[in-house]
């Protein structure tokens, strides 16, 4: 079968349709573009901004990331304590509340990432340039300054506004390969004296924080999120993004920063938007799933017991662990945004095993983080909050709905991308594993390339069974992939 002549463009068109069907805006309004035309310089300093440009800041993100939201730096103190600093881009300095660009960001509430086209929450002139913490540029940021004791306990923290300067733009995979002895120090880091020790120190602290959270019951999932790879207009591969040490480094520092942010606003007696995953209502079903694996979980939700079960299954059967992860994620229920007022109920984040968690570290790509940045700046300046509790309540519910919609667009497009890669391989046989059964349908995940589809079984199969599956049909428009079992 001949390859489709305009693959990437067609996927981009499908993504636009999916955005509109889910109530998301794929294009910026004329008013937003007029506002953008009038912005040509980074934001100017305000009161209370300090100069922290001399610190050895670096960014660690995806290879192709251009919207750099955060930087990190570290300093070893006497007695083995370590100072960790996280700088978060000051987007609000250029995107004020209730302006046309802000109204577009409020519609989508997040950047939507598909392989054929990215739909940024903010115009790229801002998110990849004037509000991005790019190397070689002085930018305004909110800096969270944390001191951790040798055991990973947070001793003290402060938040301030500052000017920062990214000394090295780094990528997850290259940094991780170096940290684990599988690759050289990235060139951008090698050019900065002492950056190698910076990364070693940050990795050491992050791994300690990670171990502490795991002991408290933080859940470690391995979800199935393949990504298409293009050669020009042609989909040539689908790859699965792997977790690694550098991703863990950033994740731990972001969790810590979000916790400090939440507690700071609470200490200032300010309402805030929190990211929560409630204690699972379907815990009884999670207990049943564990029993199917020969494991016993307590009758009431307990994150530590669930994490220990997941860790054992990851070691026993890494091949099928992504499918178990997906089952548990669905049973736990979705994350959501809620408003927390001082003295009110603290719901916490069951999956992260933390009680205080306010999204604050990605204001270029997540609207709740931009809201939190405005709340922080007002609290730092002892000014009136920019949002009333009623406004925050509306925005929290809206952000939850729109983030769900964005996730559905991304999942839908991943299916179309896999269908496009496989459309020329009808009749080929693949190795796979049965991942689910619902409404009379059986589902299979093939290993290479990583893709999921519907299976017509030739004999009785159960979830977890390895199978050989022949590809029989694909539909790029609908994101369908069909297989039949080969005995």
């Amino acid at each position: 079968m001949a390859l489709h002549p305009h693959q990437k463009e067609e996927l981009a068109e499908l993504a636009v349709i999916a955005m509109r069907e889910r109530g998301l805006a794929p294009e910026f309004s004329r008013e937003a573009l007029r506002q953008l035309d009038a912005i040509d310089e980074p934001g100017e300093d305000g009161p209370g901004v300090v100069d922290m440009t001399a610190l050895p800041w670096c960014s660690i993100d995806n290879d192709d990331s251009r919207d750099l939201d955060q930087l990190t730096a570290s300093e070893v103190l006497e007695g083995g304590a370590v100072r960790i600093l996280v700088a978060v881009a000051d987007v609000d300095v250029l995107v004020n509340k209730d302006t046309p660009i802000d109204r577009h960001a409020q519609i989508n509430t997040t950047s939507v990432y598909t392989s054929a086209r990215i739909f940024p929450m903010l115009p790229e002139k801002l998110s990849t340039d004037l509000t991005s913490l790019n190397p070689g540029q002085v930018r305004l940021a909110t800096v969270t300054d944390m001191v951790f004791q040798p055991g990973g306990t947070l001793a003290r923290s402060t938040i301030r506004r500052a000017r920062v300067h990214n000394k090295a733009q780094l990528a997850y995979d290259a940094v991780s390969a170096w940290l684990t002895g599988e690759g050289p120090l990235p060139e951008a880091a090698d050019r900065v004296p002492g950056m190698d020790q910076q990364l070693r120190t940050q990795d050491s602290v992050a791994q300690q924080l990670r171990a502490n959270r795991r002991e408290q019951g933080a859940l470690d999932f391995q979800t199935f999120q393949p990504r298409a790879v293009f050669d020009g207009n042609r989909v040539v591969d689908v790859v699965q993004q792997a977790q690694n040490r550098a991703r863990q480094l950033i994740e731990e520092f972001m969790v810590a920063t979000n916790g400090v942010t939440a507690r700071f606003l609470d200490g200032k007696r300010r309402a805030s938007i929190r990211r929560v995953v409630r204690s699972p209502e379907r815990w009884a079903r999670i207990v049943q799933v564990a029993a199917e694996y020969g494991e016993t979980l307590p009758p009431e939700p307990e994150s530590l017991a669930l994490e220990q079960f997941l860790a054992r299954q990851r070691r026993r059967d890494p091949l099928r662990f992504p499918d178990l992860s997906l089952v548990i994620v669905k049973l736990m229920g979705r994350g959501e945004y809620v408003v927390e007022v001082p003295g009110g109920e603290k719901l916490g984040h069951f999956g992260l095993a933390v009680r205080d968690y306010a999204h604050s570290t990605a204001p270029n790509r997540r609207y709740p983080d931009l809201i939190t940045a405005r709340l922080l700046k007002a609290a730092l300046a002892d000014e009136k909050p920019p949002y009333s509790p009623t406004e925050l309540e509306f925005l929290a519910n809206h952000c939850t709905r729109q983030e769900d919609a964005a996730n559905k667009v991304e999942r839908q497009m991943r299916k179309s991308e896999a269908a496009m890669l496989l459309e020329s391989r009808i009749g080929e046989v693949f190795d796979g594993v049965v991942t689910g059964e619902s409404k009379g349908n059986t589902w299979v995940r093939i290993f290479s390339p990583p893709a999921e589809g519907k299976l017509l079984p030739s004999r009785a199969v159960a979830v977890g069974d390895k199978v050989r599956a022949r590809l029989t049909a694909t539909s790029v428009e609908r994101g369908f992939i069909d297989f039949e079992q080969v005995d």
Side-chain angles (χ1 to χ4, degrees), residues 161-179:
R161 298 186 64 207
R163 291 185 301 277
V164 297
H165 181 274
N166 186 356
K167 304 296 195 300
Q169 181 178 355
L170 307 174
Y172 289 126
D173 292 347
V175 171
S176 182
W178 175 72
L179 286 171

Side-chain angles (χ1 to χ4, degrees), residues 427-479:
E428 290 189 29
V429 176
F430 300 85
D431 291 319
V433 61
V434 177
T435 58
E437 294 177 293
S438 66
K439 300 178 181 178
N441 294 318
T442 301
W443 304 94
V444 64
R445 173 169 58 87
I446 63 173
F447 304 133
S448 182
E452 291 183 302
K454 189 163 65 173
L455 176 70
L456 179 62
S458 60
R459 54 177 171 79
V461 293
V463 173
D465 284 354
K466 290 183 181 179
V467 294
R468 298 270 288 165
R470 178 180 290 109
L471 180 65
T472 59
T474 63
S475 170
V476 174
E477 290 76 16
R478 302 174 71 187

